[in-house]
Amino acid sequence: MADVAQKAGVSRALVSIVFRRQPGASEETRERVLRVADEIGYRPDSAARLLARGRSRTLGVMFIVHQTFHTDLIAGIYPAAEQLGYDVLLSATTLGRSEGKAIEALLSHRCEGLILLAPDADPAYLDELGHRAATVSVGRRAPGARVDFVHTAEGKGVRQAMDHLVELGHRRIVHIDGGRGPGSAERRRAYRAAMRRHGLESEMRVVPGDHTEQSGIETGRLLLAEHDQGQPLPTAVLAGNDRSAMGLLMSLTRAGVDVPGDLSVVGYDDSHLSHLMPIGLTTVRQDAVLLAEHAVRFAVERLENPALEPREAVLDPKLVVRGTSGPPPVG
């Protein structure tokens, strides 16, 4: 600012008035200061100004680098934050970078609010975070922690998928479990409840897995190996998420299994990858944009009113029927 003031022939205080858009400078002076600033490449440091007032107006987002649905959430977080006057800073967890390290990096960069996508931390740590920053957990509940929670009604989504498969005539329906992934316990319970509700207890089967393509690939290999030993293939598989469903599809199609002619596959999330299949993936849609908007709003509202009690937003899922589900094979 001193350089701009010297070249424009005005005081540093007047330059500050111009950049803060405050009264006290003529239009001619204002235009000259802005022109000089442009010539020398000066830009006001808004972050420094905010920090001087004790604010960063920055929301930190922790995400899992290989989870495709998280990229959909992030795409919704940016516009929602910008609309409310906040910047966004990202920090990823990977195989070599822990969740704690990713979160502490956000806090060290003075993020006022935290939006944690499917955090795996225990409730005690999340409660601690909730006292350090306005914290929102997306996709995973944290009982007793002072954080807000945003998620989809997992059980409702699974019921929609199971009803769809049963109405098509399927009975041998297998579920690939999501392990410790967000929503997995609720999806697993809902699958079992749906099988009982439809009188299919004897056909109930949960295959251990997680929210990765490899989980789906390994399930496909397992089912194919059992088929080679004389056991019938299931007629449908409800995968824990879209990534697992895509891995399963890779295994099946490489082995010559016709989807959905021989076996139907349903995923969960409706991530952007589900649209890129040669045949679109039937899946349960979580509205990434609405989840993102709720998470940002919760974080900002808590910054404005820290005394708020923890809140929960539960959004409705929607089954999206595409090309990987159809009637079971005859015979």
Side-chain angles (χ1 to χ4, degrees):
M1 288 177 64
D3 292 338
V4 174
Q6 182 179 9
K7 188 166 184 178
V10 298
S11 68
R12 189 179 185 280
L14 195 56
V15 172
S16 177
I17 286 173
V18 170
F19 281 118
R20 285 186 289 114
R21 299 180 181 177
Q22 299 295 315
S26 68
E27 188 60 33
E28 180 185 354
T29 299
R30 193 177 300 275
E31 290 179 1
R32 183 165 76 252
V33 168
L34 293 174
R35 184 174 66 252
V36 168
D38 188 59
E39 289 173 358
I40 68 174
Y42 173 78
R43 294 292 181 273
D45 190 341
S46 58
R49 289 205 306 269
L50 287 168
L51 288 175
R53 300 175 200 162
R55 296 291 307 274
S56 70
R57 295 193 73 86
T58 301
L59 302 178
V61 179
M62 185 216 72
F63 67 104
I64 302 171
V65 74
H66 293 302
Q67 285 294 354
T68 53
F69 187 62
H70 288 189
T71 63
D72 297 341
L73 289 169
I74 291 167
I77 287 171
Y78 270 106
E82 289 172 2
Q83 188 173 16
L84 295 176
Y86 282 77
D87 289 328
V88 173
L89 186 65
L90 304 179
S91 187
T93 68
T94 67
L95 289 177
R97 190 170 193 253
S98 70
E99 188 171 284
K101 188 170 184 178
I103 293 171
E104 292 300 327
L106 294 171
L107 291 171
S108 71
H109 284 84
R110 299 178 181 266
C111 292
E112 293 184 277
L114 297 175
I115 297 176
L116 311 179
L117 307 186
D120 197 31
D122 61 72
Y125 176 61
L126 292 178
D127 185 58
E128 176 194 337
L129 288 177
H131 286 84
R132 297 168 66 187
T135 304
V136 182
S137 172
V138 179
R140 194 185 295 276
R141 187 177 284 104
R146 192 171 181 76
V147 301
D148 295 316
F149 180 46
V150 180
H151 69 112
T152 298
E154 308 286 354
K156 188 173 183 179
V158 169
R159 285 195 298 274
Q160 291 178 16
M162 294 295 291
D163 289 349
H164 167 66
L165 291 172
V166 172
E167 286 169 7
L168 287 171
H170 293 278
R171 293 183 55 83
R172 296 197 307 275
I173 307 171
V174 168
H175 175 52
I176 306 177
D177 186 33
R180 290 179 53 84
S184 295
E186 292 86 350
R187 295 172 197 177
R188 182 170 57 250
R189 284 195 294 267
Y191 160 78
R192 287 173 170 154
M195 291 293 279
R196 287 192 292 268
R197 179 164 52 88
H198 288 292
L200 302 175
E201 295 97 329
S202 62
E203 302 290 350
M204 189 185 303
R205 184 181 181 186
V206 177
V207 178
D210 56 38
H211 284 175
T212 65
E213 291 85 359
Q214 189 60 35
S215 174
I217 291 171
E218 291 174 359
T219 299
R221 290 172 178 167
L222 172 65
L223 297 177
L224 291 167
E226 292 174 348
H227 183 59
D228 289 340
Q229 295 171 4
Q231 296 185 38
L233 284 172
T235 62
V237 175
L238 171 65
N241 72 342
D242 288 352
R243 291 180 65 194
S244 178
M246 292 179 69
L248 175 65
L249 287 168
M250 289 171 61
S251 280
L252 296 176
T253 54
R254 285 173 180 172
V257 176
D258 178 38
V259 177
D262 298 323
L263 191 154
S264 290
V265 176
V266 179
Y268 203 109
D269 283 343
D270 195 28
S271 62
H272 64 275
L273 289 180
S274 64
H275 308 270
L276 304 179
M277 306 286 296
I279 53 172
L281 177 67
T282 295
T283 184
V284 177
R285 183 172 189 260
Q286 298 195 79
D287 194 323
V289 172
L290 279 181
L291 287 168
E293 289 175 351
H294 275 76
V296 169
R297 181 169 56 81
F298 273 4
V300 171
E301 288 176 353
R302 184 163 295 282
L303 285 169
E304 295 172 351
N305 185 3
L308 286 171
E309 289 299 313
R311 296 160 297 169
E312 180 174 355
V314 185
L315 306 185
D316 282 336
K318 181 180 180 182
L319 179 69
V320 181
V321 178
R322 298 193 181 98
T324 59
S325 60
V330 178

